[in-house]
């Protein structure tokens, strides 16, 4: 899945590289100089010297051994604990939110409703339950005064959650709508990097939490010189498997074989048809608030709980020789800017066995592609990549569930450096985060049953219906299919109705040919729509 990049950077082959580390509480900033990253946070830099490099597990090292922190770092980190409900969580990119209606989403097991408050000119996130009789507010509507209206009994709420109108209350009676019990629950929310985030705690103490702690900030997503294309997909396996799959570059040549064209630029020996090779990944930091790893010349970074990103740069200013009068050659700096790209994966825990991925690929080259090529075209390839290992990971999650999170290091044999950052993530999960997502008792711990394959790999309900560009393309292509079918029938009708001799033989055959082409085109279009917007069964055996 790391290779979703291919559909965004089709002419290029990118390694996963990224940059500097982040503090626990403040804005997160990705430093531009990836070759020599300098953290703008002294506290994190001071920790770097205490951390010994962890180079995954070699064949001579037991999988049960600890990450090699020195004793001082161990003592400092002993009491640290990752608080799942003291973090910002992304909901959706705002490009896929319709201001005309409310949206229901689930994050961290919490059902929320997202809607645009036109009076305050901002997005609001509330608990998806009407305080009257717990009907889902996401099934409601925005009324003519810009209030969120429950579709069950018509109760209306403003952006602060206050009930402004109860139709059943007598006009001359007591103002029952002003009671605190009539208020809807509101969560702190903000828009950053064109993504809507929310804080999963409605306590009034956190009303202004954005002023003291903000979501991870990636400047390139707001930089006008960078292009970007968001894709959102609901995934039928859990958050833990989603994160570790993104951290695993070794699966790319195999799980996505036939989809991706992965170069063998760093290895002269081709071990097999797919081109797998040894990968040298070294974990350099493993703290409660960050994991970083070197892969080749670059760095990958995980900022718990949701953000995993890579930074890539190539080309750039290079000296160009130019002749001078003395006959010597001097270097003249090139005006060509350095090409930069990021792969940003934002992983959302939804519920046990379900997660959501928000992917963006900001870059400062080939920006014309995003302006010319429709967004839904990019999504076709990106969805195919997600589909190609979805079933594998769904089954794997159930096997790992039987093993248990704290037995992962004993059960899984990970002898090579290619698994270094995956091992580090599992250590982070067990050491700081309780071994799994904290669902606060909302679930019994069981994973949902495996549905039929077609339902498991469904694209319509997991992506198409929630994506503004794909939904529009889906409706437009369906309309075109109907037009082609009608045209085919209409032309045949004209030929059949025409009297003998009215149409020449050439004209008659031409019309029949047109009708046949319209019919074939409609059938092909029907297959294209189903395969790309509903279900694509990726069979590894025939790749």
């Amino acid at each position: 899945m790391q290779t979703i990049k291919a559909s965004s950077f089709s002419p290029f082959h990118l390694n996963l590289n990224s940059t500097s580390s982040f503090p626990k509480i403040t804005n997160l900033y990705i430093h531009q100089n990836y070759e020599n990253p300098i953290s703008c946070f002294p506290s994190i830099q001071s920790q770097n010297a205490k951390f010994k490099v962890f180079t995954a597990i070699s064949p001579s090292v037991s999988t049960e051994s600890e990450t090699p922190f020195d004793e001082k770092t161990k003592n400092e980190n002993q009491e640290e604990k990752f608080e799942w409900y003291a973090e910002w969580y992304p909901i959706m990119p705002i490009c896929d939110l319709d201001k005309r209606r409310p949206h229901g989403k689930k994050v961290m097991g919490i059902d929320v409703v997202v809607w645009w408050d036109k009076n305050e000119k901002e997005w609001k996130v509330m608990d998806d339950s009407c305080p009257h009789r717990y009907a889902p507010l996401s099934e409601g509507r925005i009324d003519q005064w810009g209030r969120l209206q429950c579709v069950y009994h018509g109760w209306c709420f403003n952006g602060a959650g206050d009930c402004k109108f109860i139709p059943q209350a007598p006009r001359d009676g007591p103002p029952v709508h002003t009671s605190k019990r009539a208020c809807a629950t509101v969560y702190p929310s903000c828009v950053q990097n064109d993504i809507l985030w929310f804080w999963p705690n409605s306590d009034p103490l956190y009303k202004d939490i954005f002023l003291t702690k903000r979501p991870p900030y990636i400047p390139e997503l707001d930089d006008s010189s960078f292009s970007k294309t968001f894709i959102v997909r609901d995934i039928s396996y859990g958050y833990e498997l989603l994160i570790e799959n993104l951290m695993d570059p070794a699966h790319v040549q195999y799980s996505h074989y036939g989809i991706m064209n992965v170069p063998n630029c760093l290895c002269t020996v081709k071990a097999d048809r797919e081109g797998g090779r040894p990968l040298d990944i070294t974990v350099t930091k493993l703290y409660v608030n960050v994991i970083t790893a070197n892969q080749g010349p670059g760095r990958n970074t995980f900022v718990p709980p949701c953000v995993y990103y890579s930074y890539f740069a190539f080309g750039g200013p290079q000296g160009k020789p130019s002749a001078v009068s003395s006959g010597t050659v001097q270097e003249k700096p090139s005006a060509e800017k350095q090409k930069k790209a990021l792969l940003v994966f934002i992983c959302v825990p939804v519920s046990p066995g379900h997660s959501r991925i928000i992917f963006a690929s900001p870059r400062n080259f080939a920006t014309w592609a995003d302006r010319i090529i429709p967004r839904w075209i990019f999504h076709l390839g990106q969805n195919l990549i997600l589909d190609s290992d979805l079933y594998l990971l769904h089954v794997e999650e159930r096997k790992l569930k039987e093993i248990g999170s704290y037995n992962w290091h004993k059960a899984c044999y990970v002898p090579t450096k290619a698994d270094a950052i995956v091992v580090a993530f599992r250590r982070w999960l067990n050491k700081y985060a309780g071994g799994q997502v904290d669902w606060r008792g909302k679930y019994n711990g069981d994973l949902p049953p495996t549905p039929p394959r077609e339902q498991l790999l469904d694209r319509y309900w997991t992506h198409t219906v929630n994506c503004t560009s794909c939904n529009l393309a889906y409706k437009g292509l369906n309309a075109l299919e109907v037009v082609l079918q009608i045209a085919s029938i209409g032309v045949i009708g004209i030929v059949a109705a025409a009297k003998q001799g009215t149409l020449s033989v050439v004209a008659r055959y031409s019309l029949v040919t047109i009708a046949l082409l319209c019919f074939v085109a409609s059938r092909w279009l029907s297959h294209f729509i189903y395969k790309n917007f509903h279900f694509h069964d990726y069979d590894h055996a025939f790749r």
Side-chain angles (χ1 to χ4, degrees):
M1 279 174 51
Q2 221 172 11
T3 54
I4 291 179
K5 63 183 181 234
S7 55
S8 300
F9 308 134
S10 54
F12 306 98
H13 303 293
L14 305 183
N15 293 326
L16 291 180
N17 305 317
S18 61
T19 58
S20 62
S21 56
F22 301 130
K24 201 169 2 178
I25 300 178
T26 190
N27 281 352
L28 302 180
Y29 178 74
I30 298 177
H31 200 278
Q32 297 293 323
N33 185 0
Y34 93 114
E35 293 181 351
N36 185 24
I38 302 173
S39 173
C40 54
F41 308 109
S43 60
I44 296 298
Q45 282 188 322
S46 64
Q47 288 177 331
N48 294 351
K50 302 170 185 174
F51 185 82
K52 294 182 180 178
V53 172
F54 171 47
T55 57
I57 298 172
S58 67
S60 61
V61 179
S62 168
T63 58
E64 299 177 32
S65 62
E66 280 194 331
T67 304
F69 294 95
D70 60 34
E71 290 303 317
K72 188 173 181 181
T73 305
K74 271 188 182 180
N75 294 335
E76 286 179 354
N77 291 334
Q78 241 174 6
E79 303 302 322
E80 290 186 289
K81 182 182 177 183
F82 182 77
E83 297 292 342
W84 287 97
Y85 290 86
E87 300 289 340
W88 288 95
Y89 288 88
I91 297 179
M92 286 285 284
I94 58 174
C95 62
D96 287 324
L97 293 175
D98 188 345
K99 293 182 178 180
R100 299 169 298 178
R101 64 181 183 88
H103 304 262
K105 298 294 175 185
K106 185 188 289 287
V107 180
M108 288 292 288
I110 303 171
D111 291 306
V112 298
V113 56
V114 177
W115 63 286
W116 175 254
D117 184 355
K118 69 177 184 181
N119 297 310
E120 296 188 24
K121 307 297 182 186
E122 59 185 26
W123 291 99
K124 299 294 183 180
V125 179
M126 295 182 178
D127 193 72
D128 195 13
S129 296
C130 179
H132 177 211
R133 291 189 16 214
Y134 283 77
L137 292 172
S138 57
E139 293 297 316
R141 60 178 71 92
I142 310 298
D143 72 4
Q144 62 267 43
W145 292 282
R147 304 172 302 193
L148 177 62
Q149 184 184 66
C150 178
V151 76
Y152 195 21
H153 293 96
W155 288 33
C156 296
F157 306 90
N158 65 9
D162 300 325
C163 183
K164 306 304 291 183
F165 179 55
I166 298 178
Q168 296 77 26
R171 302 296 181 270
D172 55 352
V176 292
H177 68 279
T178 60
S179 170
K180 289 184 178 180
R181 296 185 63 187
C183 295
T185 301
V186 182
Y187 294 100
S189 60
C190 67
V191 173
Q192 184 163 276
N193 288 143
D194 292 331
I195 298 172
L196 179 64
W197 301 72
F198 93 112
W199 186 269
N201 193 324
S202 59
D203 192 303
L205 291 173
Y206 299 103
K207 181 180 179 181
D208 298 317
I209 188 64
F210 183 75
L211 300 177
T212 56
K213 182 174 182 176
R214 300 185 180 185
Y217 178 66
I218 301 174
E220 286 80 1
L221 289 175
D222 290 336
D223 192 332
S224 59
S225 66
F226 282 72
S227 65
K228 65 175 183 291
T229 302
F230 281 113
I231 181 173
V232 182
R233 176 79 180 263
D234 287 340
I235 307 293
S236 294
Y237 52 83
Y239 159 88
E240 295 89 349
L241 263 292
L242 177 60
I243 292 282
E244 74 172 47
N245 189 51
L246 294 172
M247 293 176 170
D248 172 26
H251 82 283
V252 170
Q253 288 92 339
Y254 302 95
S255 296
H256 308 306
Y257 181 72
I259 302 173
M260 307 291 309
N261 183 19
V262 182
N264 254 346
C265 55
L266 299 178
C267 185
T268 56
V269 180
K270 190 172 182 179
D272 52 25
R273 171 186 73 169
E274 293 79 10
R277 63 177 186 268
L279 297 175
D280 188 5
I281 301 177
T282 301
V283 174
T284 54
K285 293 179 186 174
L286 202 170
Y287 297 115
V288 65
N289 62 310
V290 69
I291 299 174
T292 62
N294 293 333
Q295 182 183 345
R299 185 181 295 176
N300 302 320
T301 301
F302 172 57
V303 184
C306 298
V307 179
Y308 179 67
Y309 72 89
S310 321
Y311 180 81
F312 180 77
F314 60 95
Q318 297 176 352
K320 291 185 177 180
S322 61
V324 293
S325 58
S326 62
T328 60
V329 176
Q330 295 183 346
E331 295 293 325
K332 182 180 292 185
S334 169
E336 182 185 359
K337 66 180 180 180
Q338 188 180 39
K339 295 178 180 178
K340 301 176 183 178
L342 276 80
L343 303 176
V344 182
F345 302 95
I346 302 177
C347 307
V348 186
V350 174
S351 62
H354 294 282
S355 57
R356 184 177 302 120
I357 184 172
I358 302 173
F359 169 67
S361 54
R363 64 189 185 278
N364 66 352
F365 59 92
T367 57
W368 56 267
D370 284 9
R371 293 192 295 268
I372 296 176
I373 303 174
R375 180 175 169 230
W376 66 271
I377 296 291
F378 287 111
H379 288 184
L380 300 185
Q382 291 164 343
N383 273 316
L384 182 58
I385 294 169
L386 291 168
D387 284 339
S388 59
D389 59 8
L390 193 152
Y391 182 76
L392 304 176
L393 293 162
H394 178 87
V395 174
E396 178 184 332
E397 181 176 33
R398 276 139 185 81
K399 294 180 178 180
L400 291 176
K401 180 69 176 178
E402 296 175 3
I403 294 169
S405 176
Y406 287 99
N407 293 322
W408 187 93
H409 294 82
K410 295 180 181 179
C412 295
Y413 180 54
V414 282
T416 70
K417 292 183 178 182
D419 293 311
I421 194 166
V422 174
V423 172
F425 169 70
R426 285 290 177 174
R427 294 199 186 283
W428 173 87
L429 198 62
N430 290 339
K431 181 178 179 63
Y432 299 113
Q436 62 181 9
V437 177
D438 179 9
W439 302 111
R440 288 193 169 174
K442 290 187 282 288
Y443 304 97
N444 62 9
D446 295 335
L447 293 173
T450 298
R453 192 180 182 93
E454 187 168 349
Q455 183 180 339
L456 184 68
L457 297 175
D458 168 73
R459 289 186 185 180
Y460 183 77
W461 292 107
T462 59
H463 172 73
T464 303
V465 75
N466 296 312
C467 174
T468 53
S469 58
C470 289
N471 198 12
L472 183 62
Y474 176 76
K475 293 176 180 177
L477 292 173
N478 272 298
L480 178 59
E481 180 190 355
V482 173
V483 169
L484 289 172
Q485 291 173 349
I486 292 174
S488 175
I489 295 171
V491 172
I492 292 295
I494 293 173
V495 173
K499 294 181 179 179
Q500 188 71 22
T502 304
L503 295 174
S504 66
V505 174
V506 173
R508 187 178 295 273
Y509 276 107
S510 297
L511 288 174
V512 170
T513 301
I514 291 172
L516 182 61
L517 289 174
C518 288
F519 175 77
V520 171
S522 70
R523 299 310 301 158
W524 176 87
L525 193 58
S526 176
H527 174 72
F528 177 86
I529 292 171
Y530 181 74
K531 184 175 181 180
N532 290 286
F533 295 98
H534 282 278
F535 171 68
H536 184 105
D537 193 0
Y538 184 91
D539 192 343
H540 293 83
F542 293 96
R543 296 288 170 171

